[in-house]
Amino acid sequence: MEYTAKKAILVVSFGTSYHQTRKKTIDRIEADIQAACPDRKIYRAWTSKMILRKLKTRDGIHIDNVKEAMETMHRDGITDVIIQPTHVINGIENDLMKEDVLAFQDCFARITFGAPLLTSEQDSREVIQVLTDAWGGLPKEEALVFMGHGTPHYANAIYAALDYTFKDFGYKNIFMGTVEAYPSMDSLLKQVKDYQPSRIHLAPFMIVAGDHAQNDLAGNEPDSWKSRFEQEGYAVTCHLKGLGEYDGIRHIFLRHIEEAQ
């Protein structure tokens, strides 16, 4: 296809070394964006140095980081670019990505940024709607626990806010925690104990069901969330479905691109 206007969208993701989840999440997000914006060429950049290194050494696959993608677009004669992150929050990864992009602002006539998944109150409400619709059949006596990533960045407050909002909307059996920040697993154990569910469903609150989902959430190590809940005597079911697999979540990214145009 010929792109007459030199317009592009750079889709920036954290990345994953798990090909199966990538196909169902990052690839789907990019395909939806291309379908919604046929006049723009889609480029990809990933921000995790560790994942980029792993793919290079393990699979011989090179994926551009943000700097390399900006250089490629400049070489290709792109003049107008929308940067759309698939990051969940406006955290450290997003701040660093913006720095890398803005180092190239003199090379492009126009650079605009789409927002990460959870940026406005509307975003939070839509995400909750998507997830509660998807989990509508969950019996009241069972609990759903989402695992977010968590960050030392102040944007981490969104996870506790979401937990509160689920409950404010009447979903007392949905809980939100993080692997690396607050609410922690210890907080979750206390909250879930008060609810006394007959079964716990664990699901990642991350775009891809990658390393954290496979190991920290569903792994058999004694410190995984699955193991810790089982040690407390709960029956546990793990659902390895990344947020990028939900149509409604991908639709939010499309709205963010529309708002950035």
Side-chain angles (χ1 to χ4, degrees), residues 53-123:
R53 264 200 314 273
K54 186 172 182 177
L55 286 178
K56 177 75 91 178
T57 54
R58 187 191 70 188
D59 306 324
I61 293 171
H62 173 82
I63 291 171
D64 282 352
N65 61 29
V66 174
K67 183 172 172 288
E68 290 166 337
M70 296 302 288
E71 286 166 349
T72 301
M73 289 189 294
H74 182 48
R75 270 200 310 274
D76 290 352
I78 299 296
T79 55
D80 179 331
V81 60
I82 296 171
I83 313 293
Q84 180 56 54
T86 67
H87 300 146
V88 173
I89 60 172
N90 283 285
I92 294 164
E93 292 290 321
N94 213 61
D95 288 348
L96 293 172
M97 175 273 287
K98 282 188 167 178
E99 275 178 37
D100 285 346
V101 167
L102 291 173
F104 288 85
Q105 58 189 347
D106 295 341
C107 303
F108 297 85
R110 186 166 179 260
I111 297 175
T112 52
F113 291 93
L117 180 65
L118 289 169
T119 302
S120 66
E121 192 182 336
Q122 181 189 354
D123 295 338

Side-chain angles (χ1 to χ4, degrees), residues 247-259:
D247 290 344
I249 298 290
R250 296 198 301 276
H251 185 76
I252 295 170
F253 287 124
L254 296 181
R255 175 169 60 74
H256 287 179
I257 287 172
E258 226 170 88
E259 290 164 357

Side-chain angles (χ1 to χ4, degrees), residues 41-55:
K41 187 171 180 184
I42 308 301
Y43 290 82
R44 166 186 285 181
W46 288 4
T47 57
S48 170
K49 293 184 179 73
M50 193 178 74
I51 288 169
L52 293 175
R53 264 200 314 273
K54 186 172 182 177
L55 286 178

Side-chain angles (χ1 to χ4, degrees), residues 13-14 25 64 106 120 135 137 157 174 182 211 227 235 249 254 258:
S13 302
F14 183 78
T25 55
D64 282 352
D106 295 341
S120 66
W135 288 88
I174 298 183
Y182 180 85
D211 207 45
S227 297
I249 298 290
L254 296 181
E258 226 170 88

Side-chain angles (χ1 to χ4, degrees), residues 216-236:
D216 298 316
L217 184 136
N220 292 318
E221 294 296 312
D223 60 346
S224 76
W225 284 23
K226 171 175 163 275
S227 297
R228 289 194 65 185
F229 277 121
E230 285 175 344
Q231 285 156 23
E232 295 294 320
Y234 297 106
V236 179

